[in-house]
Amino acid sequence: MAKIEIDAIDRRILAILQENGRLSNQEIAERINLSPSPCLRRIRRLEESGVIRGYVALLDAQKLGLDLLAYVNVRLEKRSGPALSPRGGATHADLFRAAVQTWPEVVACHAMTGDMDYLLRVQVEDMAHFSRFVQEQLLHHPSVIDVKTSFSLERFKETTALPIL
Amino acid sequence: MAKIEIDAIDRRILAILQENGRLSNQEIAERINLSPSPCLRRIRRLEESGVIRGYVALLDAQKLGLDLLAYVNVRLEKRSGPALSPRGGATHADLFRAAVQTWPEVVACHAMTGDMDYLLRVQVEDMAHFSRFVQEQLLHHPSVIDVKTSFSLERFKETTALPIL
DNA sequence: CGTGAAACATTAGCGGC
DNA sequence: GCCGCTAATGTTTCACG
């Protein structure tokens, strides 16, 4: 995971792989006018250095019945409440983050600047499921003071590819 | 792209592929206790039906120098202004969406419920780049009335894997 | 960086449950 | 219908020039 130099050829490899992660090494080598072995060596180097975090299949949420995407802003209690043992060292933030990891419908969670503390991206089947999630999980959590939700009406652009060129 | 039945075996294949999109068919077949050919037939079916939208490599933004992630709420002008030809039929929304497609730093854009119209996810190197983007692109756009930004302080959870099990 | 050969993976055809 | 075998073809990978 050391610091790593990335040249123009590496960037072209990355650009290709973030569009199609299943291309064969041969195919990639052809596109960048290199023979397969140095191309593979570069790819392995990028994988081992962690520049390439991994390869995944992207699924269609709607075809799997996950029709509702919500962004939920969450505000947490900041002072230790009675339920927090003063010597345990677990803050409200710690408790909340641990809970988030266990909720499968939360596909992303960021700590944010601004008047809310966290931004959650929540992917569920329908409003009934979402409503249950908010009431039984989120609002039920002792650290959560307030939530504000916006729903995605339409996705115009959505890419996992970073602007690297 | 027809409607498609997805059984428990398909779901297990999808769960595996959304964690690691480069596993060989053989490897997947082994994990689900199936021989390679029916496994491959299922994968192809899922690809052709669009349930699997594609395969990508995920990159590490920080290792590529993209250290700043912002969520930008955007509000648009709703009435046609003088610059919009009444017969061209292009609305402010149309113009804005077209512009978004051309901005590489915008990695996602949703139309949203609530008092703002769009939510943009913007990935850039640093605050200087972000500032330029907002002033020279976003606020410069004739359809944009107002923007409100929050920055990601820390990412606790971020997965492309959908909760399908 | 490129070549080539061994190991491995993919995929179509066919028979069986 | 869906599974599993086999065999031909194509791909990855690594030692070596």
Side-chain angles (χ1 to χ4, degrees):
Chain A
M1 286 266 191
K3 225 293 195 169
I4 191 182
E5 288 301 318
I6 296 168
D7 66 14
I9 298 174
D10 290 325
R11 283 186 186 267
R12 291 179 62 198
I13 292 174
L14 292 173
I16 291 168
L17 281 173
Q18 44 175 9
E19 297 296 334
N20 186 343
R22 280 220 112 166
L23 284 184
S24 72
N25 180 51
Q26 290 200 0
E27 180 83 34
I28 298 166
E30 264 182 41
R31 296 199 190 182
I32 61 173
N33 295 312
L34 207 62
S35 62
S37 15
C39 183
L40 183 64
R41 281 192 281 262
R42 281 170 182 271
I43 293 172
R44 289 289 172 269
R45 191 169 133 272
L46 292 167
E47 287 168 356
E48 275 152 30
S49 64
V51 175
I52 296 175
R53 286 161 44 215
Y55 300 90
V56 299
L58 300 177
L59 308 187
D60 185 311
Q62 297 196 12
K63 293 211 164 103
L64 290 160
L66 297 166
D67 289 316
L68 190 59
L69 176 62
Y71 281 92
V72 182
N73 287 281
V74 175
R75 207 150 54 84
L76 292 196
E77 174 66 63
K78 305 294 187 310
R79 292 151 309 145
S80 303
L84 291 172
S85 78
R87 305 189 54 75
T91 62
H92 283 294
D94 294 333
L95 293 177
F96 180 70
R97 290 169 198 185
V100 161
Q101 300 297 335
T102 71
W103 294 331
E105 45 276 86
V106 177
V107 294
C109 171
H110 300 259
M112 300 293 289
T113 65
D115 51 334
M116 301 299 273
D117 301 314
Y118 291 89
L119 179 62
L120 274 57
R121 179 178 164 132
V122 178
Q123 184 89 61
V124 291
E125 296 162 37
D126 51 27
M127 200 51 93
H129 187 143
F130 182 74
S131 176
R132 260 186 289 125
F133 170 71
V134 171
Q135 290 175 40
E136 296 173 17
Q137 309 293 327
L138 261 187
L139 291 177
H140 194 257
H141 192 280
S143 308
V144 173
I145 295 184
D146 191 15
V147 309
K148 282 188 197 168
T149 300
S150 292
F151 296 101
S152 169
L153 295 168
E154 199 175 348
R155 246 177 270 197
F156 294 105
K157 188 172 182 178
E158 176 91 273
T159 178
T160 55
L162 301 176
I164 56 169
L165 295 182
Chain B
M1 286 267 192
K3 225 284 196 179
I4 191 182
E5 287 301 319
I6 295 168
D7 65 15
I9 298 174
D10 290 325
R11 282 185 187 268
R12 291 179 61 198
I13 292 174
L14 293 172
I16 291 168
L17 281 173
Q18 47 174 6
E19 297 297 332
N20 186 345
R22 282 219 112 167
L23 286 184
S24 71
N25 179 52
Q26 291 202 359
E27 180 82 35
I28 298 166
E30 262 182 41
R31 296 199 190 181
I32 62 174
N33 296 312
L34 206 64
S35 63
S37 13
C39 183
L40 184 64
R41 280 191 283 261
R42 282 169 182 271
I43 294 172
R44 290 288 172 269
R45 191 168 132 271
L46 292 166
E47 287 168 356
E48 274 152 31
S49 65
V51 175
I52 295 175
R53 285 161 44 215
Y55 300 89
V56 299
L58 300 177
L59 308 186
D60 185 311
Q62 296 194 13
K63 293 211 164 102
L64 290 161
L66 297 167
D67 290 315
L68 192 58
L69 176 61
Y71 282 92
V72 183
N73 286 281
V74 175
R75 206 151 53 84
L76 292 195
E77 174 67 63
K78 305 294 186 311
R79 290 154 309 147
S80 302
L84 291 172
S85 78
R87 306 188 53 75
T91 63
H92 283 292
D94 294 334
L95 293 176
F96 179 71
R97 290 169 198 185
V100 161
Q101 300 298 334
T102 71
W103 293 331
E105 44 277 85
V106 177
V107 294
C109 171
H110 300 259
M112 301 293 289
T113 64
D115 52 334
M116 302 299 273
D117 301 314
Y118 291 89
L119 179 62
L120 273 57
R121 179 178 163 132
V122 178
Q123 183 89 59
V124 290
E125 297 163 37
D126 52 25
M127 201 51 95
H129 187 141
F130 182 74
S131 174
R132 259 186 288 125
F133 170 72
V134 171
Q135 290 176 39
E136 296 172 16
Q137 309 293 327
L138 260 187
L139 291 177
H140 194 257
H141 193 280
S143 308
V144 173
I145 294 183
D146 191 14
V147 309
K148 283 187 196 168
T149 300
S150 293
F151 297 101
S152 168
L153 294 168
E154 199 175 347
R155 245 176 272 198
F156 294 106
K157 188 171 181 177
E158 175 92 273
T159 179
T160 54
L162 302 176
I164 55 170
L165 293 181

